[in-house]
Amino acid sequence: MAETLRVLVTGAAGQIGYSLLYSIANGDVFGKDQPIILHLLDITPALGALGGVKLELEDCSLPLLRDVVCTDQEAVAFKDIDIAVLVGAMPRKEGMERKDLLAANVRIFKSQGTALETHAKKTVKVLVVGNPANTNCLIASKYAPSIPAENFSCLTRLDHNRAKGQVALKTGVTAAQVRKVTIWGNHSSTQFPDLRHAEVTLATGETKSAYDAIQDENWIKNTFIPVVQKRGAAIIAARKLSSAMSAAKAICDHLRDWWFGTPENDWVSMGVISDGSYGVEKGLLYSFPVKCSNKTWTIVQGLEINDWARDLMNKTAQELVEERNDALEACNK
Ligand code: NAX
């Protein structure tokens, strides 16, 4: 059996935490022979609910789960962890602007970046989910300078999965038959869900480009893109709560692919530190198409970018530059 992994989930008493913890503890993410110790962090008023989550985890009778540490102390939560899933944040409510969220969350991620630096293993892999995810991730990384920036990523896999789901519905196939979709940029409504390199294997067994399979460029530009961009808001409007089940599934997909690698003929979207690829400012935390192997991601290179795509990629980059600048200003206050 492998050495026990210490996996931290913050905001563990929240709705994403509730949907996520079973899958991690059940071996659905790091493998069925990987023992796990869960570190669950939440704020003090949520400790009662968190205790209830621990009781339920015990009642799941999971063979891989070795211990569950519940705490409101970062020093305990971040101690010797191998994986950090930073979910805890103030969630976006109906009508709330992302900017309102920024200042409140910068404080949280500055503190948690510092806790990573001080207490976590230097090999820790960090996935930031709490919004604004890209910028929170950048801030956490900034305050953990001895941990490689490549060990930080933010979740755009939910957007990626949403894009696959929409194409699958449109073309009458399953999501598994849709490959190579890309989410560029920010996990926000400026993101660019890109089908220009995507492929669909039709029911006949024939593989076509997504554009040829869909045969409706107008739908791609005027329905598909806004639907994916605004899906989070549509779910809040319908549920009066933000996505949780699909978010938890996307977190598992992101972590599993980072850990075990992406399939040969596909890629995934992850928010990662830009190395300047595709003209995206170096150091920006931007969602790219990536392939993973040996627990390392690499940005897919050589995709053709036309003027239309460039414009959309720049727009979302610009929003990230503004968020970053506002966040850095808030850090110094
Ligand atoms: P909930 O409000 O249900 O849960 C958040 C939990 O975080 C609460 O238990 C709260 O007490 C805790 N928390 C707050 N501050 C904390 C801190 N400083 N340390 C530890 N815990 C803290 O929200 P939920 O629906 O679970 O969403 C969590 C976050 O995920 C939100 O920021 C949300 O916007 C974000 N999302 C990000 C997505 C992505 O794709 N990147 C998609 C889903 C989701 O909307």
Side-chain angles (χ1 to χ4, degrees):
M1 269 235 169
E3 221 172 281
T4 303
L5 273 187
R6 289 183 180 270
V7 182
L8 164 66
V9 178
T10 71
Q15 53 153 2
I16 292 177
Y18 194 76
S19 300
L20 172 67
L21 292 171
Y22 168 78
S23 299
I24 294 177
N26 191 43
D28 298 344
V29 177
F30 300 107
K32 294 289 184 189
D33 59 354
Q34 177 59 67
I36 300 276
I37 295 178
L38 283 175
H39 288 210
L40 307 184
L41 176 74
D42 214 298
I43 53 175
T44 313
L47 281 182
L50 193 59
V53 172
K54 180 176 178 175
L55 295 182
E56 283 209 55
L57 282 164
E58 287 168 5
D59 295 349
C60 286
S61 187
L62 298 167
L64 296 171
L65 187 59
R66 296 294 189 262
D67 196 7
V68 182
V69 178
C70 294
T71 182
D72 58 357
Q73 300 299 311
E74 286 177 353
V76 176
F78 285 80
K79 184 78 187 150
D80 292 335
I81 51 168
D82 300 283
I83 308 285
V85 190
L86 306 183
V87 181
M90 186 191 290
R92 183 168 164 202
K93 299 267 163 58
E94 203 172 350
M96 197 178 191
E97 286 301 317
R98 288 180 66 85
K99 281 207 166 184
D100 303 337
L101 280 179
L102 193 76
N105 283 307
V106 158
R107 244 176 299 120
I108 296 175
F109 287 87
K110 182 178 173 180
S111 173
Q112 294 186 354
T114 308
L116 282 164
E117 176 73 6
T118 313
H119 303 293
K121 287 187 184 161
K122 296 301 172 198
T123 51
V124 65
K125 292 199 184 302
V126 183
L127 167 58
V128 176
V129 178
N131 276 318
N134 300 55
T135 300
N136 288 341
C137 186
L138 192 69
I139 298 300
S141 173
K142 174 179 159 61
Y143 284 91
S146 69
I147 297 167
E150 292 71 28
N151 292 21
F152 287 78
S153 63
C154 84
L155 189 75
T156 54
R157 183 61 175 268
L158 177 53
D159 310 294
H160 182 100
N161 287 351
R162 285 167 173 164
K164 283 176 72 165
Q166 289 302 309
V167 174
L169 285 170
K170 180 74 177 170
T171 55
V173 300
T174 70
Q177 289 160 294
V178 181
R179 289 175 303 280
K180 299 183 181 172
V181 305
T182 302
I183 304 297
W184 300 98
N186 201 0
H187 168 68
S188 78
S189 57
T190 67
Q191 67 177 258
F192 171 31
D194 186 2
L195 295 184
R196 292 170 314 113
H197 309 283
E199 297 169 357
V200 178
T201 301
L202 298 169
T204 57
E206 190 188 359
T207 296
K208 289 187 169 182
S209 77
Y211 272 70
D212 285 347
I214 292 166
Q215 289 189 333
D216 186 352
E217 197 167 335
N218 183 45
W219 178 84
I220 293 173
K221 287 191 170 164
N222 299 314
T223 302
F224 166 78
I225 291 179
V227 162
V228 176
Q229 287 173 328
K230 294 179 193 154
R231 190 69 159 186
I235 288 163
I236 293 174
R239 249 170 56 85
K240 312 296 174 212
L241 285 169
S242 53
S243 20
M245 175 172 58
S246 54
K249 158 69 166 59
I251 292 168
C252 294
D253 289 347
H254 178 117
L255 291 170
R256 192 189 315 104
D257 287 344
W258 199 358
W259 202 251
F260 290 111
T262 43
E264 190 54 41
N265 63 347
D266 202 0
W267 63 63
V268 296
S269 302
M270 285 170 68
V272 295
I273 197 85
S274 173
D275 60 356
S277 291
Y278 297 102
V280 175
E281 185 183 319
K282 203 173 169 190
L284 213 56
L285 209 301
Y286 192 93
S287 179
F288 286 100
V290 301
K291 286 183 176 252
C292 301
S293 66
N294 300 321
K295 300 187 170 62
T296 308
W297 53 263
T298 323
I299 296 172
V300 174
Q301 298 295 333
L303 301 178
E304 179 267 332
I305 308 293
N306 60 21
D307 289 347
W308 172 74
R310 170 61 56 202
D311 190 44
L312 293 173
M313 287 166 69
N314 286 348
K315 215 162 150 193
T316 187
Q318 187 51 39
E319 183 184 48
L320 281 170
V321 167
E322 284 163 23
E323 272 187 21
R324 178 199 59 196
N325 294 347
D326 289 350
L328 290 178
E329 201 182 308
C331 279
N332 294 327
K333 277 190 183 155

